[in-house]
Amino acid sequence: QVQLVESGGGLVQAGGSLRLSCAASGSIFEFKTMGWYRQAPGKQRELVASITSRSDTNYADSVKGRFTISRDNAKKTVYLQMNSLNAEDTAVYYCRMGRVTIYWGQGTQVTVSS
């Protein structure tokens, strides 16, 4: 059974930074594509960034150049460094593992005040 636990969310002023972490249980982390998604009130959940087992990365256009996804397989953790935050980044951020069999974390709130 895989569990994903996000942390690092909070309230930040526009222009600030946050680093999200997602710690995974189990033994399959290093083989799985990991992703960060977000869902703002009244909107659909959307992909923010993903990273494959080979550390190939993909970003939503809205966060390119501001966010960086990374992973530490030894710690079974994926990170999302978020810089130059703006109000449009306010959302619940979710960690996801896998592409076929999918696991989700419980989410962490990020609120950017303008």
Side-chain angles (χ1 to χ4, degrees), residues 13-109:
Q13 288 188 334
S17 298
L18 282 175
R19 188 196 196 201
L20 305 183
S21 299
C22 172
S25 65
S27 60
I28 60 174
F29 176 84
E30 64 180 302
F31 305 111
K32 297 296 185 179
T33 292
M34 300 297 298
W36 284 99
Y37 287 71
R38 67 186 181 188
Q39 188 166 18
K43 294 187 177 181
Q44 289 189 329
R45 193 172 296 189
E46 62 176 1
L47 173 68
V48 175
S50 64
I51 184 167
T52 70
S53 58
R54 300 183 303 175
S55 293
D56 296 323
T57 58
N58 179 53
Y59 296 92
D61 287 343
S62 59
V63 306
K64 282 181 181 177
R66 300 189 299 122
F67 291 10
T68 302
I69 189 171
S70 61
R71 66 190 297 159
D72 185 333
N73 288 337
K75 295 183 178 179
K76 299 180 185 178
T77 301
V78 61
Y79 304 97
L80 186 68
Q81 178 66 44
M82 305 186 295
N83 299 328
S84 302
L85 286 160
N86 57 59
E88 289 68 42
D89 297 316
T90 295
V92 178
Y93 284 71
Y94 297 91
C95 176
R96 186 180 112 160
M97 173 187 283
R99 291 176 170 172
V100 177
T101 300
I102 294 170
Y103 301 92
W104 290 97
Q106 82 288 351
T108 186
Q109 177 70 46

